[in-house]
Amino acid sequence: MSTMLTVPSDVSDPTPTAAAVLGAGQRGQRIRRRRRPRWAIGITVALVGLFTFAPLYWLVITSLTPDADVFAFPPRLFPEEITFDHYVSVFADPAIFGFLTNSIFVSVITAVLSVIVSMYMAYAFSKFRYRGRKALMYFVLSSQMFPQALLLVTLYVVFAQFGLLNTYQALVISFTTFTLPLCVWMLKGFFDALPDDLIEAAKIDGAGHWRTLHSVILPLAAPGLVAAGLFAFVRGWNDFIFALTLAGPEKQTLPPGLVNRFIGEAATAWPALMAASLITSIPVCIAFIALQRYLVGGITAGAVKG
Amino acid sequence: MTALDSARPRMKPGRLSEVGFVSLLLLPGLALLLCVVLYPLLRSLASAFFNESLLYPGVTWAGFDNITAVLADGFGDLLWQTLIFTVGATIFPFIIGLALALALNERFRGSRMLRGAFLVPWLLPGVVVSFLWMWIFDANYGVLNGLLLQAGTIDSPIAWLFQTDTARGALIIAKTWNSFPWIMVMLLAALQSVPGELHEAAAMDGAGPIRRFFAVTWPHISGVAGLVILLEFIWNFQHFDTIFVLTGGGPAGTTSTFATEVYDTAFKGYDLGHAGALGLLWMGLLMILVVVYVRFSERGEKH
């Protein structure tokens, strides 16, 4: 076991923990008898709940409010009528539709590429021992600590030299690279959980390195590959600063696209922006729900095998 | 030592050696990291010592001119502003996350559902979080002004994001909303390692909830709590999205941080030399934090 790398894998990689926590109820529940400060729990949940859900409510309600009522004073917490016009207009807007298709395209390619590159890397970190292994793992881990705004400055110049500015390639290459550390760490965990006997058995049966990896190991790590892919998808989908700078107007994804389309106008079209925001958020929420199930599955499977 | 030594078959001719195989596995990932992370990083830092602009070609040696210029030109303010944002956006989410984790660690009807529901602000894309709070803080029609006016707390609408005394607070509130769920999840995971028997024993000895927290709970979660605070601090120290969208560093530069300042210097001022100098100082400070983080996690590993 490496010394430091197991701790950051738990810490900098929130979702397995999230899944463990959210799936915790599946474990046997013990009945504990002790005094609990119930009123304190109630007040905490109520206050944090108000702070958390009031803005979310406002996000949803604004997106359903007719334009005429948005600028009403006092603000209507409960709208007199609701409309889905803003959702229709968002999808009918060719610019936003372009951002949406760019986002989907770039994020999917990023996810596929990230999984391919990171699964090989993770396998090399998990199942082999060689000189420089730890140094390389430190390097991969630390690369996510470098400030993106700083890297971007030179990356812009480099991409310009190679004629990659305002292309999908620029986005896919940068997203994939910045997703690598997390994906490698996730997948290393999955490979670590697979017993070395599997590899030995495959070797004795005469399978070469590639065959062992592709026919024996990767199918068993499939839930991990899916999870890493979804993670990479979300990363690409959510990125703002790289898409803002490297993509140009044509290839821009939703986050910078919506900023350029809506912010800074004389009167921002808030209901439409809120509708577009909700549409932007949906794939991320779906990915998380899917991710959670795969991860809980992976964790419980690992526990059963002991 | 090698996991596979015992099973390694006699090498067949033409078959890839283990070293060759591992090299091929690592090659694509390392190539990407070298080209997209390491080289840009080193070149950005090196540009601190050159006069370089996005506007015209050619590079000339500048020595320490860029660094002294940056240090002389409001560096103290920039560091102070970055620290205010970083500390605020770390402390408030931590307090809220800890309180909520303690509350939701108890089993009551709906506690599992709430654990999921409270994650939503963290799931939303950073830009969406920014849009939402921009609308809430809107100077004319924002719901915050509306509610405060109705309640009689304020007499006239406040331009929260455009006033020097409120913009920072507004940013920290938006970031707090976005990041406390992650802290809650991490602390909840840590709380599950606290043995219930210890609590029962402490309760039987007559310890109240607060005593039990400090005597039983905190020692079990302090390691994770420390890591969470450090990581949040590191991330906030380089945070860009919320600040850029909500205030763009304004009003009058009072909310600009290293991240927005480096971005503006490079892409609005086109001055790569100054941006590199800022980045060099920024990275220096960040490396201190990262070293602390590595030490911290190594120490945690040994226990």
Side-chain angles (χ1 to χ4, degrees):
Chain A
M1 265 297 190
S2 61
T3 48
M4 77 164 274
L5 297 168
T6 49
V7 169
S9 74
D10 291 333
V11 171
S12 61
D13 168 7
T15 307
T17 330
V21 170
L22 298 172
Q26 292 174 344
R27 285 181 220 145
Q29 298 199 358
R30 300 185 340 95
I31 299 159
R32 280 183 269 170
R33 283 172 215 283
R34 61 183 147 100
R35 268 184 303 137
R36 291 170 197 160
R38 290 197 166 277
W39 57 270
I41 294 170
I43 289 174
T44 306
V45 172
L47 283 179
V48 182
L50 185 69
F51 175 62
T52 306
F53 299 117
L56 287 174
Y57 172 81
W58 198 235
L59 172 64
V60 176
I61 286 299
T62 304
S63 77
L64 298 171
T65 306
D67 273 327
D69 292 353
V70 169
F71 300 121
F73 188 86
R76 296 215 173 103
L77 298 183
F78 309 99
E80 280 158 12
E81 58 172 312
I82 62 169
T83 172
F84 289 93
D85 288 355
H86 305 300
Y87 289 88
V88 175
S89 71
V90 161
F91 277 115
D93 184 327
I96 297 179
F97 198 76
F99 303 146
L100 182 68
T101 49
N102 287 344
S103 272
I104 293 171
F105 182 72
V106 169
S107 306
V108 168
I109 306 271
T110 298
V112 172
L113 251 179
S114 299
V115 170
I116 293 172
V117 176
S118 59
M119 74 188 181
Y120 288 133
M121 213 171 196
Y123 186 62
F125 285 151
S126 174
K127 295 298 184 198
F128 298 93
R129 299 291 176 272
Y130 41 88
R131 237 164 15 131
R133 170 176 164 277
K134 259 178 91 176
L136 285 174
M137 292 204 297
Y138 271 92
F139 169 60
V140 174
L141 179 74
S142 62
S143 64
Q144 63 181 347
M145 297 285 186
F146 301 138
Q148 298 199 330
L150 181 60
L151 299 177
L152 190 59
V153 176
T154 308
L155 213 49
Y156 181 87
V157 177
V158 174
F159 279 145
Q161 277 167 356
F162 286 92
L164 286 173
L165 279 187
N166 311 339
T167 64
Y168 289 129
Q169 290 93 308
L171 294 185
V172 169
I173 291 170
S174 51
F175 291 172
T176 301
T177 311
F178 291 107
T179 311
L180 270 189
L182 213 70
C183 287
V184 169
W185 253 251
M186 272 176 86
L187 288 175
K188 183 180 174 294
F190 272 88
F191 290 140
D192 285 345
L194 296 176
D196 291 347
D197 304 359
L198 285 171
I199 302 172
E200 294 179 21
K203 297 237 147 148
I204 290 164
D205 288 347
H209 289 303
W210 294 109
R211 185 92 199 277
T212 306
L213 173 58
H214 288 141
S215 314
V216 179
I217 301 294
L218 290 184
L220 289 170
L225 301 182
V226 172
L230 283 168
F231 233 122
F233 176 88
V234 170
R235 270 277 172 108
W237 187 270
N238 285 354
D239 175 85
F240 173 63
I241 182 170
F242 282 89
L244 175 74
T245 314
L246 303 175
E250 295 288 306
K251 305 289 193 268
Q252 216 153 57
T253 54
L254 276 168
L258 292 179
V259 169
N260 289 339
R261 169 77 179 70
F262 284 101
I263 306 293
E265 288 178 17
T268 304
W270 290 110
L273 179 55
M274 293 300 116
S277 294
L278 276 169
I279 292 166
T280 307
S281 306
I282 286 167
V284 179
C285 294
I286 292 173
F288 179 80
I289 291 164
L291 199 63
Q292 189 190 325
R293 196 181 54 213
Y294 276 111
L295 280 163
V296 172
I299 287 162
T300 47
V304 170
K305 279 180 206 146
Chain B
M1 278 301 269
T2 304
L4 307 172
D5 263 349
S6 55
R8 190 190 289 166
R10 270 163 295 278
M11 190 86 72
K12 289 180 192 166
R15 185 168 269 190
L16 201 55
S17 74
E18 193 168 296
V19 175
F21 177 63
V22 169
S23 308
L24 280 180
L25 290 177
L26 291 173
L27 189 70
L30 287 181
L32 277 176
L33 287 170
L34 286 178
C35 296
V36 181
V37 176
L38 198 62
Y39 172 72
L41 178 75
L42 295 179
R43 222 191 110 165
S44 283
L45 296 181
S47 68
F49 301 99
F50 294 92
N51 295 311
E52 196 179 355
S53 168
L54 283 174
L55 288 181
Y56 49 83
V59 175
T60 59
W61 177 251
F64 287 91
D65 289 358
N66 287 324
I67 294 171
T68 46
V70 160
L71 282 174
D73 184 25
F75 181 80
D77 288 343
L78 192 63
L79 179 60
W80 178 238
Q81 284 158 202
T82 307
L83 281 178
I84 289 179
F85 174 79
T86 305
V87 171
T90 302
I91 285 181
F92 291 111
F94 182 79
I95 293 170
I96 295 175
L98 177 62
L100 194 63
L102 288 170
L104 293 185
N105 192 42
E106 305 292 339
R107 294 194 198 289
F108 54 87
R109 190 192 292 261
S111 68
R112 270 193 69 201
M113 198 206 71
L114 281 174
R115 288 175 189 187
F118 273 112
L119 283 180
V120 174
W122 177 67
L123 291 180
L124 299 185
V127 170
V128 169
V129 173
S130 306
F131 292 152
L132 173 57
W133 285 93
M134 205 175 191
W135 171 218
I136 290 173
F137 286 128
D138 186 81
N140 299 310
Y141 307 103
V143 68
L144 182 63
N145 277 333
L147 291 177
L148 290 179
L149 280 170
Q150 263 185 304
T153 316
I154 55 175
D155 298 326
S156 57
I158 293 177
W160 301 98
L161 295 169
F162 300 100
Q163 282 182 198
T164 49
D165 53 343
T166 55
R168 272 180 204 148
L171 279 182
I172 290 173
I173 289 173
K175 193 72 190 84
T176 296
W177 186 78
N178 175 228
S179 48
F180 84 83
W182 178 76
I183 298 175
M184 171 200 78
V185 165
M186 296 298 293
L187 293 177
L188 259 174
L191 282 171
Q192 287 177 359
S193 75
V194 182
E197 303 83 48
L198 280 181
H199 264 292
E200 279 162 38
M204 267 197 268
D205 290 345
I210 294 169
R211 282 261 333 254
R212 287 208 307 269
F213 173 77
F214 284 107
V216 181
T217 309
W218 183 251
H220 274 92
I221 64 169
S222 60
V224 172
L227 275 178
V228 161
I229 288 175
L230 252 172
L231 269 175
E232 274 292 324
F233 200 90
I234 291 172
W235 290 336
N236 286 325
F237 200 67
Q238 11 177 327
H239 182 70
F240 179 82
D241 294 12
T242 315
I243 303 171
F244 185 83
V245 178
L246 281 180
T247 66
T254 48
T255 60
S256 66
T257 61
F258 280 108
T260 60
E261 192 68 16
V262 165
Y263 185 90
D264 285 349
T265 308
F267 294 107
K268 288 183 186 150
Y270 306 110
D271 191 337
L272 298 189
H274 276 123
L278 269 173
L280 192 69
L281 298 166
W282 186 18
M283 272 298 292
L285 294 167
L286 202 58
M287 283 328 288
I288 298 172
L289 292 173
V290 172
V291 167
V292 172
Y293 167 73
V294 170
R295 283 279 154 76
F296 196 93
S297 43
E298 273 178 341
R299 204 188 62 193
E301 182 82 352
K302 284 188 189 106
H303 288 303

